[in-house]
Amino acid sequence: MAKESIGIIIATKDRPKDLIRLLESIRLQGMKPVETCVVDGGAIPVDTAIAGFSDMNIRYLKAAAPSLTAQRNAGIRMLDKEAELVAFFDDDVVLEPSALAAMAAFWRDAAPDTGGASFNDIN
């Protein structure tokens, strides 16, 4: 089965500038995600940074305490059920403009027993 819809989960903590750079790179994707969930575990809220991306489908959740695993699990729980693929990104990642389309292309040709894939980190 071709997997064409990607949901993104970003666990963040006290790095609003990095988060903005990542969201800008998501905005420039040729293939848009179904939804982006930002789970904020920091003392510095990033909800105001997200406000500049009203053209994107972003959900924000303030986590009770910082924990990468707990934040990712919270993101999974709130992610739109239309997402056939889930991508986890650290808040300091910047995507190449064709990254999501390349991942979707990989999954179109992947063997049915493939359980996961990752992006290449080039820097």
Side-chain angles (χ1 to χ4, degrees):
M1 176 179 167
K3 295 185 170 116
E4 294 292 327
S5 59
I6 298 176
I8 296 175
I9 297 173
I10 304 165
T12 188
K13 182 181 180 295
D14 299 328
R15 298 197 289 197
K17 290 180 183 176
D18 289 334
L19 178 63
I20 288 170
R21 278 187 358 170
L22 171 55
L23 292 174
E24 286 172 348
S25 74
I26 293 170
R27 178 186 270 159
L28 295 175
Q29 292 298 301
M31 176 186 178
K32 304 299 184 203
V34 171
E35 182 175 51
T36 300
C37 297
V38 175
V39 186
D40 183 6
I44 302 168
V46 297
D47 54 340
T48 55
I50 294 169
F53 296 90
S54 60
D55 58 316
M56 297 170 58
N57 186 15
I58 299 176
R59 285 176 150 194
Y60 174 80
L61 175 67
K62 180 69 177 124
S67 163
L68 181 60
T69 302
Q71 286 173 251
R72 287 181 173 179
N73 286 338
I76 286 285
R77 284 190 297 274
M78 74 178 192
L79 187 65
D80 191 311
K81 302 302 182 227
E82 289 182 34
E84 297 169 293
L85 297 171
V86 177
F88 295 104
F89 291 118
D90 291 338
D91 54 10
D92 62 347
V93 169
V94 176
L95 302 175
E96 293 291 323
S98 61
L100 296 182
M103 184 57 75
F106 167 81
W107 281 103
R108 277 192 292 276
D109 298 327
D113 62 346
T114 303
S118 66
F119 290 90
N120 288 333
D121 188 359
I122 58 173
N123 184 5

PDB file of all heavy atoms in Angstrom, residues 21-44:
ATOM      1  N   ARG A  21      13.177  27.789  12.388  1.00  0.00           N
ATOM      2  CA  ARG A  21      13.915  27.340  11.189  1.00  0.00           C
ATOM      3  C   ARG A  21      13.372  26.027  10.654  1.00  0.00           C
ATOM      4  O   ARG A  21      13.221  25.849   9.453  1.00  0.00           O
ATOM      5  CB  ARG A  21      15.406  27.177  11.506  1.00  0.00           C
ATOM      6  CG  ARG A  21      16.184  28.438  11.462  1.00  0.00           C
ATOM      7  CD  ARG A  21      17.659  28.222  11.611  1.00  0.00           C
ATOM      8  NE  ARG A  21      17.989  26.804  11.817  1.00  0.00           N
ATOM      9  CZ  ARG A  21      19.204  26.308  11.786  1.00  0.00           C
ATOM     10  NH1 ARG A  21      20.223  27.071  11.571  1.00  0.00           N
ATOM     11  NH2 ARG A  21      19.416  25.029  11.997  1.00  0.00           N
ATOM     12  N   LEU A  22      13.072  25.086  11.542  1.00  0.00           N
ATOM     13  CA  LEU A  22      12.506  23.813  11.109  1.00  0.00           C
ATOM     14  C   LEU A  22      11.134  24.032  10.471  1.00  0.00           C
ATOM     15  O   LEU A  22      10.853  23.493   9.394  1.00  0.00           O
ATOM     16  CB  LEU A  22      12.392  22.834  12.282  1.00  0.00           C
ATOM     17  CG  LEU A  22      11.623  21.543  12.024  1.00  0.00           C
ATOM     18  CD1 LEU A  22      12.183  20.777  10.826  1.00  0.00           C
ATOM     19  CD2 LEU A  22      11.604  20.676  13.262  1.00  0.00           C
ATOM     20  N   LEU A  23      10.280  24.812  11.102  1.00  0.00           N
ATOM     21  CA  LEU A  23       8.950  25.054  10.536  1.00  0.00           C
ATOM     22  C   LEU A  23       9.040  25.757   9.184  1.00  0.00           C
ATOM     23  O   LEU A  23       8.256  25.460   8.278  1.00  0.00           O
ATOM     24  CB  LEU A  23       8.092  25.850  11.518  1.00  0.00           C
ATOM     25  CG  LEU A  23       7.693  25.103  12.789  1.00  0.00           C
ATOM     26  CD1 LEU A  23       6.972  26.039  13.756  1.00  0.00           C
ATOM     27  CD2 LEU A  23       6.850  23.874  12.480  1.00  0.00           C
ATOM     28  N   GLU A  24       9.987  26.662   9.028  1.00  0.00           N
ATOM     29  CA  GLU A  24      10.177  27.303   7.727  1.00  0.00           C
ATOM     30  C   GLU A  24      10.560  26.267   6.672  1.00  0.00           C
ATOM     31  O   GLU A  24      10.090  26.327   5.533  1.00  0.00           O
ATOM     32  CB  GLU A  24      11.232  28.397   7.814  1.00  0.00           C
ATOM     33  CG  GLU A  24      10.724  29.634   8.529  1.00  0.00           C
ATOM     34  CD  GLU A  24      11.801  30.666   8.812  1.00  0.00           C
ATOM     35  OE1 GLU A  24      13.013  30.367   8.660  1.00  0.00           O
ATOM     36  OE2 GLU A  24      11.432  31.787   9.204  1.00  0.00           O
ATOM     37  N   SER A  25      11.402  25.303   7.034  1.00  0.00           N
ATOM     38  CA  SER A  25      11.791  24.270   6.065  1.00  0.00           C
ATOM     39  C   SER A  25      10.627  23.326   5.757  1.00  0.00           C
ATOM     40  O   SER A  25      10.514  22.832   4.635  1.00  0.00           O
ATOM     41  CB  SER A  25      13.027  23.497   6.543  1.00  0.00           C
ATOM     42  OG  SER A  25      12.746  22.601   7.594  1.00  0.00           O
ATOM     43  N   ILE A  26       9.753  23.103   6.708  1.00  0.00           N
ATOM     44  CA  ILE A  26       8.549  22.296   6.452  1.00  0.00           C
ATOM     45  C   ILE A  26       7.609  23.063   5.521  1.00  0.00           C
ATOM     46  O   ILE A  26       7.025  22.494   4.602  1.00  0.00           O
ATOM     47  CB  ILE A  26       7.851  21.905   7.770  1.00  0.00           C
ATOM     48  CG1 ILE A  26       8.736  20.944   8.570  1.00  0.00           C
ATOM     49  CG2 ILE A  26       6.478  21.288   7.502  1.00  0.00           C
ATOM     50  CD1 ILE A  26       8.257  20.679   9.991  1.00  0.00           C
ATOM     51  N   ARG A  27       7.492  24.347   5.745  1.00  0.00           N
ATOM     52  CA  ARG A  27       6.639  25.192   4.892  1.00  0.00           C
ATOM     53  C   ARG A  27       7.079  25.118   3.427  1.00  0.00           C
ATOM     54  O   ARG A  27       6.259  25.202   2.520  1.00  0.00           O
ATOM     55  CB  ARG A  27       6.693  26.629   5.392  1.00  0.00           C
ATOM     56  CG  ARG A  27       5.883  27.598   4.538  1.00  0.00           C
ATOM     57  CD  ARG A  27       6.094  29.019   4.993  1.00  0.00           C
ATOM     58  NE  ARG A  27       5.104  29.358   5.999  1.00  0.00           N
ATOM     59  CZ  ARG A  27       5.236  30.345   6.874  1.00  0.00           C
ATOM     60  NH1 ARG A  27       6.320  31.076   6.897  1.00  0.00           N
ATOM     61  NH2 ARG A  27       4.261  30.602   7.737  1.00  0.00           N
ATOM     62  N   LEU A  28       8.370  24.964   3.179  1.00  0.00           N
ATOM     63  CA  LEU A  28       8.903  24.953   1.818  1.00  0.00           C
ATOM     64  C   LEU A  28       8.847  23.582   1.140  1.00  0.00           C
ATOM     65  O   LEU A  28       9.267  23.458  -0.008  1.00  0.00           O
ATOM     66  CB  LEU A  28      10.353  25.450   1.834  1.00  0.00           C
ATOM     67  CG  LEU A  28      10.538  26.903   2.264  1.00  0.00           C
ATOM     68  CD1 LEU A  28      12.019  27.242   2.364  1.00  0.00           C
ATOM     69  CD2 LEU A  28       9.818  27.851   1.323  1.00  0.00           C
ATOM     70  N   GLN A  29       8.338  22.587   1.823  1.00  0.00           N
ATOM     71  CA  GLN A  29       8.269  21.250   1.240  1.00  0.00           C
ATOM     72  C   GLN A  29       7.324  21.230   0.050  1.00  0.00           C
ATOM     73  O   GLN A  29       6.250  21.824   0.089  1.00  0.00           O
ATOM     74  CB  GLN A  29       7.802  20.223   2.277  1.00  0.00           C
ATOM     75  CG  GLN A  29       8.780  19.977   3.393  1.00  0.00           C
ATOM     76  CD  GLN A  29      10.086  19.404   2.890  1.00  0.00           C
ATOM     77  OE1 GLN A  29      10.134  18.346   2.277  1.00  0.00           O
ATOM     78  NE2 GLN A  29      11.164  20.140   3.141  1.00  0.00           N
ATOM     79  N   GLY A  30       7.725  20.509  -1.009  1.00  0.00           N
ATOM     80  CA  GLY A  30       6.843  20.316  -2.153  1.00  0.00           C
ATOM     81  C   GLY A  30       5.635  19.478  -1.761  1.00  0.00           C
ATOM     82  O   GLY A  30       4.523  19.716  -2.208  1.00  0.00           O
ATOM     83  N   MET A  31       5.864  18.492  -0.912  1.00  0.00           N
ATOM     84  CA  MET A  31       4.795  17.655  -0.377  1.00  0.00           C
ATOM     85  C   MET A  31       4.520  18.134   1.044  1.00  0.00           C
ATOM     86  O   MET A  31       5.408  18.112   1.896  1.00  0.00           O
ATOM     87  CB  MET A  31       5.226  16.194  -0.353  1.00  0.00           C
ATOM     88  CG  MET A  31       4.222  15.283   0.265  1.00  0.00           C
ATOM     89  SD  MET A  31       4.894  13.613   0.395  1.00  0.00           S
ATOM     90  CE  MET A  31       3.521  12.840   1.209  1.00  0.00           C
ATOM     91  N   LYS A  32       3.325  18.584   1.294  1.00  0.00           N
ATOM     92  CA  LYS A  32       2.975  19.133   2.608  1.00  0.00           C
ATOM     93  C   LYS A  32       2.549  18.018   3.562  1.00  0.00           C
ATOM     94  O   LYS A  32       1.874  17.072   3.157  1.00  0.00           O
ATOM     95  CB  LYS A  32       1.828  20.134   2.488  1.00  0.00           C
ATOM     96  CG  LYS A  32       2.092  21.268   1.524  1.00  0.00           C
ATOM     97  CD  LYS A  32       3.267  22.094   1.931  1.00  0.00           C
ATOM     98  CE  LYS A  32       3.431  23.281   0.981  1.00  0.00           C
ATOM     99  NZ  LYS A  32       4.769  23.809   0.953  1.00  0.00           N
ATOM    100  N   PRO A  33       2.918  18.118   4.832  1.00  0.00           N
ATOM    101  CA  PRO A  33       2.437  17.140   5.806  1.00  0.00           C
ATOM    102  C   PRO A  33       0.946  17.324   6.076  1.00  0.00           C
ATOM    103  O   PRO A  33       0.414  18.429   5.933  1.00  0.00           O
ATOM    104  CB  PRO A  33       3.255  17.452   7.057  1.00  0.00           C
ATOM    105  CG  PRO A  33       3.650  18.878   6.911  1.00  0.00           C
ATOM    106  CD  PRO A  33       3.781  19.128   5.434  1.00  0.00           C
ATOM    107  N   VAL A  34       0.303  16.241   6.462  1.00  0.00           N
ATOM    108  CA  VAL A  34      -1.110  16.315   6.859  1.00  0.00           C
ATOM    109  C   VAL A  34      -1.245  17.227   8.067  1.00  0.00           C
ATOM    110  O   VAL A  34      -2.177  18.020   8.161  1.00  0.00           O
ATOM    111  CB  VAL A  34      -1.644  14.901   7.199  1.00  0.00           C
ATOM    112  CG1 VAL A  34      -3.024  14.973   7.807  1.00  0.00           C
ATOM    113  CG2 VAL A  34      -1.623  14.025   5.987  1.00  0.00           C
ATOM    114  N   GLU A  35      -0.290  17.104   8.975  1.00  0.00           N
ATOM    115  CA  GLU A  35      -0.335  17.873  10.214  1.00  0.00           C
ATOM    116  C   GLU A  35       1.056  17.875  10.829  1.00  0.00           C
ATOM    117  O   GLU A  35       1.828  16.942  10.648  1.00  0.00           O
ATOM    118  CB  GLU A  35      -1.328  17.231  11.176  1.00  0.00           C
ATOM    119  CG  GLU A  35      -1.507  17.945  12.475  1.00  0.00           C
ATOM    120  CD  GLU A  35      -2.606  17.311  13.310  1.00  0.00           C
ATOM    121  OE1 GLU A  35      -2.591  16.096  13.522  1.00  0.00           O
ATOM    122  OE2 GLU A  35      -3.481  18.074  13.742  1.00  0.00           O
ATOM    123  N   THR A  36       1.359  18.927  11.561  1.00  0.00           N
ATOM    124  CA  THR A  36       2.592  19.012  12.331  1.00  0.00           C
ATOM    125  C   THR A  36       2.198  19.237  13.783  1.00  0.00           C
ATOM    126  O   THR A  36       1.456  20.177  14.088  1.00  0.00           O
ATOM    127  CB  THR A  36       3.484  20.157  11.825  1.00  0.00           C
ATOM    128  OG1 THR A  36       3.815  19.920  10.450  1.00  0.00           O
ATOM    129  CG2 THR A  36       4.757  20.259  12.643  1.00  0.00           C
ATOM    130  N   CYS A  37       2.663  18.367  14.662  1.00  0.00           N
ATOM    131  CA  CYS A  37       2.377  18.484  16.093  1.00  0.00           C
ATOM    132  C   CYS A  37       3.649  18.922  16.811  1.00  0.00           C
ATOM    133  O   CYS A  37       4.684  18.260  16.701  1.00  0.00           O
ATOM    134  CB  CYS A  37       1.915  17.148  16.660  1.00  0.00           C
ATOM    135  SG  CYS A  37       0.380  16.553  15.950  1.00  0.00           S
ATOM    136  N   VAL A  38       3.573  20.024  17.515  1.00  0.00           N
ATOM    137  CA  VAL A  38       4.687  20.541  18.301  1.00  0.00           C
ATOM    138  C   VAL A  38       4.360  20.290  19.761  1.00  0.00           C
ATOM    139  O   VAL A  38       3.356  20.788  20.279  1.00  0.00           O
ATOM    140  CB  VAL A  38       4.915  22.045  18.041  1.00  0.00           C
ATOM    141  CG1 VAL A  38       6.005  22.581  18.953  1.00  0.00           C
ATOM    142  CG2 VAL A  38       5.250  22.287  16.578  1.00  0.00           C
ATOM    143  N   VAL A  39       5.221  19.510  20.416  1.00  0.00           N
ATOM    144  CA  VAL A  39       5.028  19.190  21.833  1.00  0.00           C
ATOM    145  C   VAL A  39       6.158  19.870  22.599  1.00  0.00           C
ATOM    146  O   VAL A  39       7.325  19.511  22.460  1.00  0.00           O
ATOM    147  CB  VAL A  39       5.001  17.670  22.081  1.00  0.00           C
ATOM    148  CG1 VAL A  39       4.662  17.391  23.535  1.00  0.00           C
ATOM    149  CG2 VAL A  39       4.002  16.986  21.155  1.00  0.00           C
ATOM    150  N   ASP A  40       5.796  20.861  23.379  1.00  0.00           N
ATOM    151  CA  ASP A  40       6.725  21.776  24.027  1.00  0.00           C
ATOM    152  C   ASP A  40       6.973  21.371  25.478  1.00  0.00           C
ATOM    153  O   ASP A  40       6.078  21.456  26.311  1.00  0.00           O
ATOM    154  CB  ASP A  40       6.123  23.182  23.942  1.00  0.00           C
ATOM    155  CG  ASP A  40       7.004  24.258  24.513  1.00  0.00           C
ATOM    156  OD1 ASP A  40       8.155  23.971  24.890  1.00  0.00           O
ATOM    157  OD2 ASP A  40       6.529  25.406  24.577  1.00  0.00           O
ATOM    158  N   GLY A  41       8.198  20.953  25.772  1.00  0.00           N
ATOM    159  CA  GLY A  41       8.554  20.567  27.129  1.00  0.00           C
ATOM    160  C   GLY A  41       9.427  21.578  27.829  1.00  0.00           C
ATOM    161  O   GLY A  41      10.013  21.289  28.870  1.00  0.00           O
ATOM    162  N   GLY A  42       9.537  22.773  27.276  1.00  0.00           N
ATOM    163  CA  GLY A  42      10.469  23.751  27.809  1.00  0.00           C
ATOM    164  C   GLY A  42       9.859  24.761  28.752  1.00  0.00           C
ATOM    165  O   GLY A  42       8.641  24.869  28.907  1.00  0.00           O
ATOM    166  N   ALA A  43      10.745  25.533  29.366  1.00  0.00           N
ATOM    167  CA  ALA A  43      10.332  26.620  30.246  1.00  0.00           C
ATOM    168  C   ALA A  43      10.001  27.874  29.439  1.00  0.00           C
ATOM    169  O   ALA A  43       9.291  28.751  29.907  1.00  0.00           O
ATOM    170  CB  ALA A  43      11.444  26.931  31.245  1.00  0.00           C
ATOM    171  N   ILE A  44      10.538  27.947  28.219  1.00  0.00           N
ATOM    172  CA  ILE A  44      10.276  29.073  27.329  1.00  0.00           C
ATOM    173  C   ILE A  44       9.202  28.625  26.335  1.00  0.00           C
ATOM    174  O   ILE A  44       9.490  27.857  25.416  1.00  0.00           O
ATOM    175  CB  ILE A  44      11.554  29.479  26.564  1.00  0.00           C
ATOM    176  CG1 ILE A  44      12.678  29.841  27.530  1.00  0.00           C
ATOM    177  CG2 ILE A  44      11.254  30.636  25.610  1.00  0.00           C
ATOM    178  CD1 ILE A  44      14.033  29.969  26.867  1.00  0.00           C
TER     179      ILE A  44
END
